[in-house]
Structure formats: structure tokens, C-alpha cells
Amino acid sequence: ETGVTQTPRHLVMGMTNKKSLKCEQHLGHNAMYWYKQSAKKPLELMFVYSLEERVENNSVPSRFSPECPNSSHLFLHLHTLQPEDSALYLCASSQGTGSVDTQYFGPGTRLTVL
Amino acid sequence: DQQVKQNSPSLSVQEGRISILNCDYTNSMFDYFLWYKKYPAEGPTFLISISSIKDKNEDGRFTVFLNKSAKHLSLHIVPSQPGDSAVYFCAASAWNSGNTPLVFGKGTRLSVIA
């Protein structure tokens, strides 16, 4: 069983749709992250959760809504997205939120907004 | 303004030769640096790290060098193998300033030619 899984792997949605991305980690970690990777841009941190509480939110638009029901699951709810939101969305987990805690990444969800 | 810069988007190296991937940073508070490797359709995986108290860290074929005065680090892979072909991300954090999140560069695509 791989450490961090993400579903779906690919998603195409219209600007008026509502969809959710799911991440699950099987590593017993306490921290989970959402990152956005756009073409030719650095990996951007979106949200950090530690023990199911949000500890970091890098000024992400409200059309992205995270949810962390428990330490193993993380969701990213999407609604009224824009074409520029098309990107690879990566989930990661780590034991703690310190930078020395190695982050383990999932394979990502490739999102296309039409 | 990017705090972590990988100015070479791509690099091609002959198998058996040395690959040198470079990374520059602007924030003098950064004191912990990591390299991640990413294959297509997979999430980034941790490769090697270095803290600012050291100027070199070695792990098998991978060595990371840190030049604090120049705010520059590099990843050396020797000998390079075709399986090393991937995108390499440099990341930095201000660990001593309180577990700040990782800041990633844009990545460098390494192609090792057989």
C-alpha cells in the first residue's frame, strides 16, 4: 500500500462545477499539505494541517476549501474555479510540520478547468 | 519575488558523467535545504538535505554543497545514470526561525543520455 494516495488522478471540470480532491496517507503522520504546481512555476504551498487543525493558509482564494476530518484524510473542495486554476495539485504528509520532517508526496491530481 | 531560484530549467548529461544542479536563494534566514526528485506521474520524493551548519552532505552518488556566503547550493550526481532522469526541486526553510514551511524552486529537468 503506497504511502500517500490521491484521487482522482485526472479531473476535467467546468467553471460552474463543484468537485473534491481526496488525499489519504497510510504513514501514521500528523501533518498534511496541499500544494499547487503550475507550469513553469515553483511548487506553491496552499494549506497545512497539523493534527486536523489548519495551521497555514497561504492566501488561497476561497474557491478552494480544504477539509481534514482526521489525520489520515485531506480533501480539497473546488467550486467556481477559473481556467488559471488548472494545475497539478499535490498532497503531502509528514510526521510533524517542521522543515526537518520529510514530506512524502502523493502522485497528484492533474486538474483542467475549462 | 522568488526566494528560491533554479535558473536552469533543463540539463542534459551523458551517462557516467557528473550532473550538477544549481539553486540560489535570497532569504538569509534560510538554514535548512532539501532536494526532491520527481518522476512523471509521481509526486516528489525526498533525496537529500543539508543544514547551514554544514557545507557538504553526501549520500551515495548524491552530494549537496552549500555556500552560505553566496547563498548557493548545488546537487552533484556522480556517476549519472539514465534512471536519474527526472525533475529536481530545491527547497529551503528557516528552521531556526520557527519551522517555517518549505519554499520550493521551479525545478530543473535532468536528462541522462545513455
Side-chain angles (χ1 to χ4, degrees), chain B residues 13-107:
Chain B
V13 172
Q14 205 74 29
E15 180 180 7
R17 297 288 187 97
I18 184 171
S19 296
I20 301 176
L21 297 104
N22 293 304
C23 179
D24 296 292
Y25 61 96
T26 57
N27 188 340
S28 57
M29 300 299 289
F30 286 150
D31 53 17
Y32 190 70
F33 306 89
L34 307 90
W35 285 94
Y36 279 80
K37 174 180 177 180
K38 183 181 184 302
Y39 290 118
E42 294 182 17
T45 56
F46 170 74
L47 190 58
I48 193 169
S49 64
I50 189 168
S51 73
S52 59
I53 61 171
K54 300 173 83 171
D55 54 18
K56 177 183 174 182
N57 189 25
E58 193 172 352
D59 183 3
R61 295 185 298 113
F62 302 91
T63 303
V64 56
F65 294 92
L66 175 62
N67 182 335
K68 289 186 289 292
S69 59
K71 295 193 180 69
H72 176 84
L73 66 154
S74 60
L75 174 68
H76 291 213
I77 306 173
V78 54
S80 301
Q81 300 173 354
D84 296 328
S85 298
V87 177
Y88 290 78
F89 292 96
C90 172
S93 171
W95 181 36
N96 281 321
S97 300
N99 287 339
T100 60
L102 294 178
V103 179
F104 284 84
K106 290 184 183 180

Side-chain angles (χ1 to χ4, degrees), chain A residues 42-97:
Chain A
L43 217 56
E44 298 171 57
L45 179 65
M46 298 176 73
F47 301 102
V48 180
Y49 276 83
S50 176
L51 297 171
E52 302 143 49
E53 286 196 21
R54 190 191 304 181
V55 297
E56 184 84 25
N57 173 3
N58 279 359
S59 303
V60 178
S62 59
R63 57 186 184 270
F64 295 92
S65 174
E67 179 191 359
C68 188
N70 55 62
S71 58
S72 299
H73 294 86
L74 185 64
F75 294 90
L76 187 62
H77 303 300
L78 317 170
H79 68 98
T80 0
L81 294 193
Q82 306 296 312
E84 60 264 28
D85 296 322
S86 299
L88 180 68
Y89 288 83
L90 289 161
C91 173
S93 73
S94 60
Q95 188 57 48
T97 54

